[in-house]
Amino acid sequence: MAAEASETVCTKVTGHSVLVSWVSSVCQTARGYGVDPVPLLIASGLDARLLHIPDARYPVAGVRRLWDGLIQATGDPLFGLTVGKEIQAPALQGLGLAMISCGSLSDLMMIMVRYCKIISTTMNISFDHPPDLKGTKLVLRSDGGAEPMNSARLAVLAFIYRQACSLSQHLVRPLSVTLSLGVNSDAARLDDYFRVPVNLGCEKDSISFAYEDTIEPYAGANRQLMDINAAVVGRYLNRLNNMDIADRVDMLIREELQTGEPRLCTVADLLHLSPRTLQRRLREEGHSFNGLLDKARYEMAHDLLMHSDLSITEIGFRLGFSDLSNFIRACHRWFGCSPVKHRENSLLISV
């Protein structure tokens, strides 16, 4: 991951996002199923041209739609497992290079804990040291929902396990693997890959390794190379974390609109802030939560009225209006006319 290229792209990132090179690897896996991912990218609202810009980023909402489309197209509910088995570490740019040059499984896990948000800003990986476990547990979770079948988390767990075996140059057997997938999932396939009985229907997605496996030194370790790449990745992550709060709130509002009217307390919770702190930080940037919500609704209303054949009632519902009359009043404020008239005017302009 070149620092200069990363900086150029990061200035354009808004809201929660996913590294394009990760998505590119997901798409490459789909091709192995005989599925062309490009139409699914487009249908998910993602620009396929960005696949050639590894350090670029896609919005999380679009990537989650892509996962859904790929699972349906491949017919494989455990498509995420295959992604984790096949993705190559160098595809993750500096993050992958830091991983393959690390000195032990302990280093590998620490890199994933510190820098997992390079892959997705909604991803969280943390250590857990339960008293009854003679080893180390990694726990994965996602902010603001998850992909169908928790595909991204499953892919990351499978990827971490594969790197653990590859870098140690011998089979490493986990102490345990827990997944929040339903108990009707293909347990035998999961057991076969992780080489232990996988516990399904659990509260957390996790993988645990024995202490002796975590401290075993890797023959291919290169501390200098690991530190150089980790520094580059760290600078990239700092730029992601320093996004304007208004941009992050705007993205979350648009995601929340898919299920109902966004609430200040909900968005604040997703950002790990109190509602009062969120309001203060927005004021410091010259914004308000209600103003960002109104702006998002305005832009989405115009887009849906102009580019879709959805009914006025359904568009109002998609924008979080429980009462159609409130949507109509908002359209008069935004466009100076009713939603029906704005659609007619937009069609005349397009002709």
Side-chain angles (χ1 to χ4, degrees):
M1 180 182 295
E4 182 178 353
S6 299
E7 186 168 4
T8 301
V9 173
C10 277
T11 60
K12 301 178 182 179
V13 173
T14 59
H16 283 306
S17 59
V18 179
L19 186 67
V20 161
S21 58
W22 168 263
V23 178
S24 180
S25 295
V26 173
C27 290
Q28 190 61 33
T29 301
R31 292 187 177 96
Y33 284 78
V35 172
D36 181 1
V38 174
L40 296 173
L41 277 164
I42 296 171
S44 301
L46 304 176
D47 188 347
R49 294 171 297 181
L50 290 183
L51 290 177
H52 304 292
I53 308 177
D55 289 347
R57 303 189 71 84
Y58 281 137
V60 163
V63 176
R64 287 176 174 172
R65 289 192 293 270
L66 177 64
W67 276 108
D68 190 26
L70 289 172
I71 289 173
Q72 293 185 43
T74 60
D76 183 5
L78 295 183
F79 175 68
L81 177 66
T82 306
V83 171
K85 289 169 60 177
E86 297 186 358
I87 189 172
Q88 300 298 312
L92 300 181
Q93 309 300 312
L95 175 60
L97 294 176
M99 293 175 68
I100 62 178
S101 56
C102 65
S104 65
L105 177 54
S106 178
D107 283 347
L108 175 65
M109 292 190 293
M110 182 62 71
I111 287 171
M112 291 303 296
V113 168
R114 287 179 177 174
Y115 305 121
C116 63
K117 288 185 181 294
I118 293 291
I119 298 175
S120 172
T121 58
T122 64
M123 184 174 295
N124 286 280
I125 302 180
S126 59
F127 288 113
D128 188 14
H129 299 282
D132 58 339
L133 181 70
K134 296 180 179 179
T136 301
K137 175 185 287 187
L138 284 183
V139 178
L140 279 69
R141 70 179 193 277
S142 301
D143 293 333
E147 296 71 19
M149 297 297 292
N150 297 339
S151 299
R153 295 205 296 265
L154 177 57
V156 170
L157 278 176
F159 175 64
I160 291 172
Y161 176 58
R162 183 163 141 264
Q163 292 305 308
C165 294
S166 175
L167 294 172
S168 64
Q169 298 179 310
H170 64 80
L171 173 64
V172 176
R173 193 181 300 276
L175 291 177
S176 68
V177 176
T178 66
L179 297 175
S180 53
L181 293 174
V183 294
N184 291 327
S185 300
D186 190 349
R189 186 172 159 198
L190 293 165
D191 295 349
D192 181 66
Y193 177 75
F194 288 104
R195 295 181 172 86
V196 293
V198 174
N199 298 305
L200 300 176
C202 298
E203 182 181 353
K204 300 177 180 178
D205 296 292
S206 71
I207 187 167
S208 306
F209 295 101
Y211 176 73
E212 56 268 24
D213 289 326
T214 65
I215 63 172
E216 177 191 354
Y218 290 156
N222 187 323
R223 173 63 62 175
Q224 183 178 15
L225 184 59
M226 185 186 79
D227 290 343
I228 290 172
N229 283 285
V232 172
V233 171
R235 290 194 294 271
Y236 180 86
L237 184 58
N238 285 337
R239 287 191 288 274
L240 286 180
N241 289 336
N242 290 330
M243 291 186 299
D244 290 344
I245 193 70
D247 290 332
R248 297 166 70 184
V249 170
D250 178 72
M251 180 66 75
L252 288 172
I253 283 174
R254 293 169 191 267
E255 292 178 3
E256 289 295 304
L257 279 170
Q258 298 178 41
T259 56
E261 182 177 1
R263 302 290 183 182
L264 171 65
C265 57
T266 302
V267 173
D269 186 58
L270 292 171
L271 292 170
H272 306 294
L273 299 172
S274 70
R276 179 174 295 182
T277 299
L278 176 57
Q279 289 175 313
R280 176 180 56 79
R281 291 185 60 180
L282 286 173
R283 282 197 303 271
E284 290 171 352
E285 294 182 7
H287 297 281
S288 70
F289 181 81
N290 288 336
L292 291 172
L293 174 57
D294 191 65
K295 176 176 176 289
R297 281 173 160 169
Y298 160 76
E299 293 176 352
M300 293 172 68
H302 174 73
D303 184 61
L304 291 171
L305 288 169
M306 186 172 184
H307 301 295
S308 80
D309 57 1
L310 295 174
S311 70
I312 302 301
T313 300
E314 185 168 357
I315 292 175
F317 178 76
R318 287 197 178 194
L319 296 180
F321 290 98
S322 57
D323 189 329
L324 181 60
S325 62
N326 290 336
F327 174 50
I328 293 173
R329 280 195 294 270
C331 285
H332 277 283
R333 178 165 53 84
W334 294 328
F335 312 123
C337 61
S338 70
V340 173
K341 185 63 177 176
H342 184 68
R343 170 172 274 171
E344 292 173 353
N345 292 341
S346 298
L347 291 174
L348 288 174
I349 293 172
S350 64
V351 173

